[in-house]
Amino acid sequence: MARRRRWRPGHFSFNTREGQCPTCLGLGHIDLDVQYLPDIPITCPTCGGARFNEATLEVQVDGMTIADVLELSVEDALAHFADQPRVLGSLRPVWEVGLGYLRLGEPTPSLSGGESQRLRIASRLRSSQSGALYIFDEPTTGLHPRDVSTLTGVFDRLMDAGATIVVIDHDLDLLAACDHLIDLGPGAGPEGGRIVATGTPLEVAAAPASITGPWLAEHLEMTRAS
């Protein structure tokens, strides 16, 4: 149907006039102006929150409209489009960085800082990283330990492709996997800012001036025991 209409990709974007609902302009909601009170958002009565116009929603692939597709999680989309190599090529890196739970239409402002960082990583996984430098600030925040392991594997892939990675973090699993650590302290805020230990994880774990050292030593011991 889209080919017969000679439509371009813009017809399937709620950010363009060709694809968006004319009532809510692709927002999925409209704001009620209530006197003396903040505007109240309600679901768009025209598109029902789908964000697209009626003509765009008439087009279906495997029984799904573009609005239905955007409601899929990355993991579900990988299964649904298993026979579409071009789609898989774009989605698999997102799944590999541990973001398979995100919806394809997830609003960018709803992402956490760590999720945003990992999305940027996903966009780089399929290209050469020769000479690239990445600096990540607390990328493990809010992650399950299993996801930290996934993130560490992704960092390894980037470095194997030629990248250099600097990470600011406190997660012991990630610290234990680093090639080189720089422990700043000895305290926080005005009590910090000095290098108290540096070296491999084992060397920092044994450094008497490091507050992180004893925790890292215990973690490394537990890791070896398991």
Side-chain angles (χ1 to χ4, degrees):
M1 181 182 294
R3 288 180 178 175
R4 290 201 307 269
R5 296 175 178 176
R6 297 183 179 180
W7 278 3
R8 297 186 177 186
H11 284 88
F12 298 94
S13 170
F14 48 70
N15 292 317
T16 66
R17 186 174 58 183
E18 293 84 2
Q20 65 189 201
C21 168
T23 301
C24 65
L25 302 181
L27 295 176
H29 64 84
I30 59 175
D31 294 328
L32 291 182
D33 184 7
V34 182
Q35 192 173 17
Y36 305 123
L37 293 173
D39 290 348
I40 301 176
I42 64 170
T43 301
C44 176
T46 301
C47 67
R51 309 177 79 170
F52 296 92
N53 59 47
E54 185 176 353
T56 297
L57 294 176
E58 289 175 354
V59 180
Q60 297 187 7
V61 175
D62 297 332
M64 301 183 72
T65 67
I66 181 61
D68 295 329
V69 171
L70 291 179
E71 285 298 312
L72 292 174
S73 69
V74 171
E75 189 167 2
D76 290 339
L78 283 170
H80 186 82
F81 296 107
D83 60 344
Q84 301 289 332
R86 292 180 63 185
V87 176
L88 297 182
S90 297
L91 294 180
R92 188 171 286 116
V94 180
W95 177 79
E96 290 175 346
V97 298
L99 296 177
Y101 58 86
L102 291 182
R103 290 185 299 111
L104 298 186
E106 194 85 31
T108 302
S110 71
L111 301 178
S112 69
E115 288 170 337
S116 297
Q117 290 187 79
R118 282 183 284 158
L119 272 182
R120 287 193 288 271
I121 294 173
S123 69
R124 301 289 185 175
L125 283 180
R126 302 178 65 192
S127 60
S128 171
Q129 300 300 307
S130 179
L133 171 64
Y134 294 94
I135 301 177
F136 296 101
D137 185 9
E138 302 282 358
T140 65
T141 299
L143 292 188
H144 186 277
R146 181 179 56 195
D147 293 324
V148 174
S149 177
T150 298
L151 180 63
T152 302
V154 171
F155 285 163
D156 287 339
R157 288 178 58 184
L158 287 174
M159 290 189 293
D160 289 342
T164 297
I165 297 178
V166 177
V167 181
I168 304 165
D169 214 296
H170 299 84
D171 183 88
L172 293 174
D173 284 319
L174 184 58
L175 297 184
C178 289
D179 297 318
H180 189 87
L181 297 178
I182 299 175
D183 188 11
L184 296 175
E191 302 301 321
R194 297 188 295 276
I195 296 177
V196 296
T198 182
T200 66
L202 281 172
E203 291 170 337
V204 171
S210 172
I211 296 177
T212 305
W215 298 96
L216 184 56
E218 181 180 352
H219 182 78
L220 291 171
E221 185 64 32
M222 291 175 59
T223 301
R224 284 195 294 267
S226 61

